Each structure stands twice: as structure tokens, then as C-alpha cells.
């Protein structure tokens, strides 16, 4: 804001004079002579069209007219945004919100703010920015109640703020504004988004560029100059390297070019073999504006995978097929994971590990019981025996029912009243170690059956029925148990070797966040992208089932009402 003390005095006097003329009666005046109504004429200089999209029920040019009256009256009709540090704290966050395309009208509102800021009389800018700040507060609180719009491509719907909630974000301070920032890496992420939006159009336009063949090491690269331009624009080639490569008559997949392709593959979650195949091409041809939007969208998603406190915390990122254990907000252990296939996605939620199970039984969840176990038992009389699966009477009565006593030919999977439990052992579906946590989906972290270990060699590992299989379960169990102050507890390997089922309740729970991030920026400023395996980044014809994306928080008992309990394992 460009205000000096003389201008402030004129500004305040103008507000008070015009407001007093507009006020209906002296009863509306405050004790110090200021009107209790704002001068809305200060918004006449610019047509404010954004309000219709942001809050369609508003009858004035702003979304929070009544609250603004109260806030400015309490502030003696002084401007709120005279301190440039406050403006610099809020504007990038509003820009990030606009770039995410999750709140219709925000892009238009930013344009209107910039027009008002350029006027000599900045009262309109101050008033509209305060309203926009309240809109942003409302947006963040709506996401805390219902984060699904970040995954189902539906706009966030605002609800009228209460005066009490609005007042909790005043008086304005940089700290309060920063409390709304979605990520600890907000600044480098916005730098990347702004750089992407300022790039010229991607020369590899999919409408007129077609890669018909795979390009292995040493081969000529079709559209080589355009591929080099994309790699340069995205930071994988220096300018001298780019100039040297594009000066060549023929560009081949060798040398610096091949190294750049490998680095690109690594940052996009692809196999780093230097081969230009369909996966690489599909990423190279993405419009930069699309990369910016996806990055901004995921920036808002990072609100649900924040590092909290100084204790141990696990963050699982489904599209990255990886889990990371943090201690004191620093990574201390990571492991590859296998997560749910697209037709049986892994739920997104926040919980905590409270039990480590050694040599677990597997209590077959309903979805797998109906769709897998019963059809297999009906088709093969020896399936249950060979798989070491018992039929039990019910979850409350776990007495074993002889499978030969059941007429499998007449069994209807939808009405079968008995349950299934797999015995412990190396081929147990949960492997040798499981990590249990409160949730409504029967979803947890666990080991893998020994015969399935080769699945971890794949780069895309969406193979499970919803649970998260860990490549290094013994090491993870050892790390978690090291926090428990149980000096007499045998080692994880020794407990596994007894082949006995054992459940260990944790004294120190380990927080766990199951997140879905397809784009993020590293501390060094490098953009990382991952394949959108569940299709949450773009609109889709078939609606996403709510239970997968509601992110219930079992640590705080909030948002559980949004979770439906008819899911998988």
C-alpha cells in the first residue's frame, strides 16, 4: 500500500464524512463521532463481478457486508491494510487459491483487487481485500470440514461466516495470516507455479505432435528441438546446453540429452532408464498451465499431510507409492508401499498406529470375502485348505465351521453369514507384521505374503484391495517399537521366528496421514510430479465415492461423520 500519514488522515476523514452523510440518524453514530455504517460508494470505481460466483446469495458487492461493517466500526473506520507486510502475506495465498481453480470467482476477484489498488483512493482496495481475506478464511474452514472438493473436482461451497469466527482472525497480524498457509514449502512452490505460468506455450502440442515409436538410448529423437525446449523450460538443461543441443542438425538420445531425460523421469516418478516411451511423452506434452494448476491444487491438499509436533509421524503418499517416518519433523525412515488398485482405492484419512501385530491373523474384510474368497471356494474345493483359511461362525463367535459342512454350490456371496480368517505364516495376506490403527475401513499398513515380494520391483504399485503393503515391515516395526520404552521386548525377528501371534499395544502412538499428492516442490525448488492413479486431479464422468476421499480424522474425532463404512481392506 502506498499511504503516508497525510493521506491516512485524508482517507479517514473522507470515510467518516461520507459515512456520516449516509447514516440514517444520529443514533447510528458511535461515541467518537464515526458512523456505524461503511461508505460502500468507495467500490463504485470498479465493477465487482466476482461476488456473484464467490457468494451468490449476497445482495451487495461483497460477501460479508454485515461483518465488514462491524469490523471497520471496531477499528474506528481505519484502513486494515496500510502495512505492506500484511498485503504481502495475504496476496500470494489468494493467488495460490486462484491458481488451484477450486473456488470459482477468485481469479476475477484478484483482477478487481488489482484495479482498485491502482486507484488514487485506496479505500475500495482496503474494503475489498478485507472481504476477500474473510472469503479465504471461510474457504480454509470449509476444507477442514469437508476436503472432498480437492479430489472430486467440485468447487468449494462457502457458507456465511459467523462474526465470532471472523473476529478470531483480527486484529490483523502477519502471524495470523501465515497460519492459513497450506504448506511449509509455500514460497518455493509459488515460485515454481509463477514460473510455469510465465512460460510460453509448450511446443509439444498434443494436437499436432505425435510420437509413434519408443526412442531408446542412441536413437534420433523425433521433434528433438521441441523436446529439448521443454526440458530447458522445466530446468533440466542449462542455457548453454540447450543452445549446443539445438544447434545440432540431428538430436539424439545421448549425452547431456539422455541425462536430462533420466533426471526428468526421476522427478516424475518414472523408471530412470533414459528411454522416451509413452509415459515420458505423456508428461512432456502436458501444458505448463496444467502443471501449474495441478501444483496449486496439491498445495491445498498439503493441508492434510502437515508435520505436527515433535513425535513420530508417518506420511503415506499414495501416488508416490511411498511412506516416510518422521521424527521431530525430520525423515528418519522410508519404504516403498503397494496401495489400492483404482477399482479398490486406498482411503485417505488421518489416524495413528496403536498396535503392532507379529505373525498376524487375517480377518477377511467384506469386500474381499464377497468378491474373492467365496467365488474361489465355490470354484475349488481345496482353495480354503491350501490358503490356510478357516471359516468362522461370526466376528463375535469365532468358532471354526468345517468347510465340508457347507454346500458351496448354493452359497450366495451377498448373504453368506459366516466369516473367514487366514492362519499366521509367511503366506498370510498380511505377511509377518501388521500395523493397526483406528479407522472405519479395515485399512492398515502390513507386510506382504512372501510370494508377492516381487511386486515391489514395479514402479507403479497399485495392486492391493485398499490396504498399504510395506516393503520394509520389520525395519518399520523395529523403529516404532524403539519409541515404546519396552527394554525387555524381544527383537522383531525373534518374535517372528516363534511363529506365534502377538499383539503389542503402543505406549507412544505414531500419527499416520494417508495423503494423495500428485505434485509438490522440494526444499531445493524442484517440482516433483506423480501419476494420478485414481483420477482425482481432473473432472471425471463417474463420481468418486465419498468414503475414499473424505479424510476423516481419527485423532481428533472430526469429519468421521463423512466416512462411510462399506469399504474394503
Amino acid at each position: 500500500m502506498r499511504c503516508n500519514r497525510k493521506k491516512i488522515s485524508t482517507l479517514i476523514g473522507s470515510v467518516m464524512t461520507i459515512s456520516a452523510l449516509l447514516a440514517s440518524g444520529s443514533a447510528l453514530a458511535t461515541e467518537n463521532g464515526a458512523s456505524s455504517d461503511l461508505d460502500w460508494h468507495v467500490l463504485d470505481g470498479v465493477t465487482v463481478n466476482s461476488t456473484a460466483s464467490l457468494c451468490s446469495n449476497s445482495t451487495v458487492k461483497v460477501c460479508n457486508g454485515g461483518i465488514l461493517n462491524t469490523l471497520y466500526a471496531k477499528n474506528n473506520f481505519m484502513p486494515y491494510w496500510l502495512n505492506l507486510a500484511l498485503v504481502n502475506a495475504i496476496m500470494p495465498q489468494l493467488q495460490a487459491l486462484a491458481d488451484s481453480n477450486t473456488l470459482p470467482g477468485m481469479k476475477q476477484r484478484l483482477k478487481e483487487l488489482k484495479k482498485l489498488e491502482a486507484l488514487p483512493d485506496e479505500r475500495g482496495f482496503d474494503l475489498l481485500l478485507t472481504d476477500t481475506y474473510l472469503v479465504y478464511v471461510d474457504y480454509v474452514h470449509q476444507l477442514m470440514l469437508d476436503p472432498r472438493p480437492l479430489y472430486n473436482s467440485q468447487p468449494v461451497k462457502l457458507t456465511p461466516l459467523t462474526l465470532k469466527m471472523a473476529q478470531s482472525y483480527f486484529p490483523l497480524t502477519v502471524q495470523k495470516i501465515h497460519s492459513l498457509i497450506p504448506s511449509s514449502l509455500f514460497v518455493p512452490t509459488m515460485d515454481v507455479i509463477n514460473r510455469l505460468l510465465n512460460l510460453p506455450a509448450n511446443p509439444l502440442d498434443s494436437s499436432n505432435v505425435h510420437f509413434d515409436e519408443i526412442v531408446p538410448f542412441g536413437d534420433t529423437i523425433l521433434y528433438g528441438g521441441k523436446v529439448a525446449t521443454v526440458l530447458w523450460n522445466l530446468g533440466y538443461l542449462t542455457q548453454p546446453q540447450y543452445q549446443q543441443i539445438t544447434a545440432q542438425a540431428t538430436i539424439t538420445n545421448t549425452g547431456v540429452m539422455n541425462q536430462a531425460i533420466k533426471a526428468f523421469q526421476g522427478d516424475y516418478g518414472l523408471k530412470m532408464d533414459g528411454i522416451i516411451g509413452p509415459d515420458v511423452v505423456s508428461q512432456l506434452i502436458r501444458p505448463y498451465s496444467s502443471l501449474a494448476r495441478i501444483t496449486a491444487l496439491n498445495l491445498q491438499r498439503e493441508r492434510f499431510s502437515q508435520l505436527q509436533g515433535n513425535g513420530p509421524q508417518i506420511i503415506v503418499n499414495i501416488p508416490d507409492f511411498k511412506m516416510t517416518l518422521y521424527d521431530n519433523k525430520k525423515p528418519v525412515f522410508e519404504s516403498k508401499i503397494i496401495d489400492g488398485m483404482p477399482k479398490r482405492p486406498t482411503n485417505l484419512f488421518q489416524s495413528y498406529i496403536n498396535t503392532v501385530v507379529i505373525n498376524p491373523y487375517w480377518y477377511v474384510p467384506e469386500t474381499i470375502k464377497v468378491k474373492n474368497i467365496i467365488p474361489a471356494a465355490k470354484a475349488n474345493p481345496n482353495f480354503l485348505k491350501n490358503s490356510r483359511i478357516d471359516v468362522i461362525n461370526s466376528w463375535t463367535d469365532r468358532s471354526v465351521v468345517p468347510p465340508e459342512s457347507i454346500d458351496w454350490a448354493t452359497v450366495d456371496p451377498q448373504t453368506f453369514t459366516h466369516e473367514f480368517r487366514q492362519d499366521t505364516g509367511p503366506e498370510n495376506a498380511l505377511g509377518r507384521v501388521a500395523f493397526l490403527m483406528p479407522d472405519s475401513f479395515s485399512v492398515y499398513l502390513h507386510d506382504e505374503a512372501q510370494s508377492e515380494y516381487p511386486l515391489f520391483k514395479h514402479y507403479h504399485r497399485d495392486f492391493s484391495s485398499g490396504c498399504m503393503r510395506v516393503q520394509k515391515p520389520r525395519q518399520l516395526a523395529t523403529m516404532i517399537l524403539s519409541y515404546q520404552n519396552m527394554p525387555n521386548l524381544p527383537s522383531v525377528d525373534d518374535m517372528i521366528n516363534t511363529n506365534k501371534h502377538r499383539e503389542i499395544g503402543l505406549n507412544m502412538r505414531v500419527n499416520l496421514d494417508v495423503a494423495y499428492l500428485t505434485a509438490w516442490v522440494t526444499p531445493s525448488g524442484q517440482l516433483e510430479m506423480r501419476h494420478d492413479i485414481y483420477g482425482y486431479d481432473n473432472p471425471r464422468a463417474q463420481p468418486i465415492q465419498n468414503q475414499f476421499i473424505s479424510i476423516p480424522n481419527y485423532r481428533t474425532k472430526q469429519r468421521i461423520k463423512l466416512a462411510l463404512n462399506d469399504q474394503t481392506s
Side-chain angles (χ1 to χ4, degrees), residues 255-298:
V256 172
M257 193 69 172
N258 183 257
Q259 293 172 13
I261 292 166
K262 287 181 178 179
F264 177 83
Q265 289 173 320
D267 289 338
Y268 281 68
L270 305 173
K271 185 177 181 181
M272 296 177 63
D273 55 11
I275 298 173
I276 302 178
D279 286 345
V280 174
V281 170
S282 67
Q283 298 295 341
L284 286 172
I285 66 175
R286 295 178 72 170
Y288 302 138
S289 59
S290 173
L291 295 179
R293 180 187 70 82
I294 297 300
T295 304
L297 172 64
N298 280 272

Side-chain angles (χ1 to χ4, degrees), residues 128 217 303:
L128 196 63
F217 178 81
R303 297 182 187 278

Side-chain angles (χ1 to χ4, degrees), residues 8-9 11-17 19 29-38 68-80 126:
I8 293 172
S9 178
L11 173 63
I12 297 171
S14 177
V15 172
M16 293 174 62
T17 301
S19 296
T30 59
E31 290 182 358
N32 61 5
S35 167
S36 62
D37 284 338
L38 280 173
L68 290 175
N69 261 320
T70 302
L71 291 174
Y72 274 95
K74 186 175 181 179
N75 202 43
N76 293 323
F77 294 98
M78 288 282 290
Y80 274 109
D126 198 274

Side-chain angles (χ1 to χ4, degrees), residues 28-47:
L28 295 178
T30 59
E31 290 182 358
N32 61 5
S35 167
S36 62
D37 284 338
L38 280 173
D39 173 16
W40 297 106
H41 286 26
V42 298
L43 292 179
D44 287 346
V46 173
T47 301

